[in-house]
Amino acid sequence: MKECIIMIGANGQIGTELAVALRQKFGSENVITSDLREPRSPKEGEIFEIINVLDKPALKALFEKYKPTQVYLLAAMLSATGEQYPMKAWDLNMNGLLNVLDLALELGIKKIFWPSSIAVFGPHSPKQNTPQYCIMDPNSIYGISKLAGERLCEYYHKKYGLDIRSLRYPGIISWKTAPGGGTTDYAVDIFFEALKSGKYSCFLSADTALPMLYMEDAVAGTIALMDAAQEQLTVRSSYNLGGISFTPAEIAEEITKILPNFEMSYVENDPRQAIADSWPASIEDTVAQEDWNWKPTFDLQAMTKDMIENLK
């Protein structure tokens, strides 16, 4: 059966590159991207629609127009931005998801992808090798909305049989799109600044370890999960996804190996530090490895080299 995919929130960091991979796999005519605004550089032959995921009648009209077999819901307000606008973040992150889930049931859409985040973990979750199942007590509105979303996804699967799949993304690092208001964004921003000015002022402390993932691995992992047979999947909330864990000091050291004059400084009392302190330092993802053969390919050294080469 021919797949037809609609991606909502396609202009963001992940959507921009995931859409390219999906078009290569399924053909441009079978992948419809959408967002609140036109993409910065629309390409010929690509189908794009303006949509607000909170406008349920418009969303229904979009689904009825294209009759998608899969929907990727990427529209969200991220952690740092969410703390400035908590009610807007809750509204977008929760009601956007509910609109898609309800319409998927009503219109018979067979497969949904919705990203969760390491933000679902909190101060009492294990910091090192955070397991698939543990205490989860997020203290950012982003994390709270993502944890609630995970429970909804599992509920809709168990109660209605909806095939919804999810990954707990760590910080995603990419050279193609600018950061979008997340706590892990320093690890993208640092490369832009290293090449532009030779220095970077980091809003996290030197020893704050956080889980990260290079974009190529994030895209490959997402498609691998969506390609997996239903019977392989044992997790219907969201899969832990591990990649590379490092501190600002460690990434600065790797950059200095390529750009010897690079200088790093640190800002004190940034509100993003408190969010980072509540998150895991590293992620344990054996369930994803066992269920659908998840395996990242980039380490810190390879990622740093690739980022600098491409950004140059």
Side-chain angles (χ1 to χ4, degrees):
M1 183 184 170
K2 196 171 83 167
E3 298 287 354
C4 175
I5 294 167
I6 288 181
M7 182 185 290
I8 303 161
N11 291 351
Q13 188 194 26
I14 293 170
T16 305
E17 299 197 40
L18 184 56
V20 172
L22 289 172
R23 285 184 171 121
Q24 285 170 350
K25 184 175 169 67
F26 295 106
S28 289
E29 70 282 4
N30 299 315
V31 178
I32 297 92
T33 51
S34 64
D35 211 307
L36 284 168
R37 286 169 214 86
E38 288 277 348
R40 281 199 191 126
S41 48
K43 294 187 177 67
E44 204 178 326
E46 294 180 357
I47 308 166
F48 182 88
E49 296 274 1
I50 300 280
I51 195 73
N52 180 350
V53 74
L54 296 176
D55 184 344
K56 197 172 180 182
L59 197 62
K60 184 177 181 180
L62 181 73
F63 289 171
E64 286 177 334
K65 178 179 177 181
Y66 290 103
K67 299 180 174 52
T69 56
Q70 299 184 27
V71 172
Y72 286 68
L73 171 57
L74 305 179
M77 191 178 288
L78 301 183
S79 56
T81 314
E83 290 308 292
Q84 295 169 17
Y85 310 101
M87 290 306 100
K88 282 185 178 175
W90 177 262
D91 187 31
L92 174 59
N93 296 356
M94 295 313 307
N95 291 319
L97 174 60
L98 280 166
N99 285 347
V100 170
L101 294 179
D102 286 339
L103 289 171
L105 290 179
E106 185 184 335
L107 302 173
I109 298 166
K110 68 175 192 184
K111 211 185 279 188
I112 308 288
F113 177 77
W114 174 81
S116 187
S117 162
I118 59 164
V120 295
F121 300 113
H124 295 93
S125 308
K127 291 287 280 183
Q128 303 295 335
N129 293 320
T130 308
Q132 178 68 46
Y133 299 104
C134 63
I135 290 172
M136 297 159 83
D137 56 343
N139 56 11
S140 67
I141 197 70
Y142 178 63
I144 291 164
S145 69
K146 285 296 184 185
L147 182 55
E150 286 191 13
R151 307 317 314 139
L152 278 173
C153 291
E154 189 161 62
Y155 178 80
Y156 270 70
H157 175 70
K158 287 191 167 167
K159 189 169 178 71
Y160 305 113
L162 188 60
D163 184 5
I164 175 158
R165 306 176 182 204
S166 178
L167 296 170
R168 289 173 185 152
Y169 287 126
I172 305 292
I173 299 172
S174 160
W175 57 271
K176 287 184 184 173
T177 42
T183 301
T184 53
D185 279 351
Y186 88 87
V188 179
D189 218 13
I190 191 171
F191 289 102
F192 285 88
E193 291 304 317
L195 287 164
K196 201 161 66 179
S197 65
K199 52 182 186 282
Y200 182 66
S201 182
C202 186
F203 55 76
L204 298 182
S205 67
D207 59 353
T208 304
L210 286 172
M212 303 282 186
L213 191 62
Y214 200 41
M215 181 62 86
E216 284 188 36
D217 284 333
V219 168
T222 305
I223 291 172
L225 172 66
M226 291 300 277
D227 282 350
Q230 275 217 67
E231 55 272 17
Q232 287 175 249
L233 306 180
T234 62
V235 173
R236 285 301 184 162
S237 50
S238 190
Y239 278 95
N240 269 12
L241 201 66
I244 326 158
S245 281
F246 55 81
T247 65
E250 287 168 338
I251 194 171
E253 189 184 337
E254 281 300 323
I255 291 171
T256 309
K257 289 176 186 175
I258 303 170
L259 306 169
N261 297 324
F262 175 68
E263 292 174 15
M264 181 86 135
S265 60
Y266 298 91
V267 179
E268 290 188 8
N269 302 319
D270 189 287
R272 287 166 286 194
Q273 183 67 52
I275 299 173
D277 288 342
S278 73
W279 287 358
S282 56
I283 295 288
E284 189 270 312
D285 59 9
T286 49
V287 184
Q289 292 173 34
E290 288 163 3
D291 283 7
W292 44 276
N293 301 318
W294 159 245
K295 195 176 190 299
T297 55
F298 280 83
D299 60 12
L300 179 57
Q301 190 179 5
M303 181 203 76
T304 303
K305 185 169 174 283
D306 200 61
M307 282 290 288
I308 290 171
E309 278 177 8
N310 282 295
L311 282 175
K312 268 182 174 170

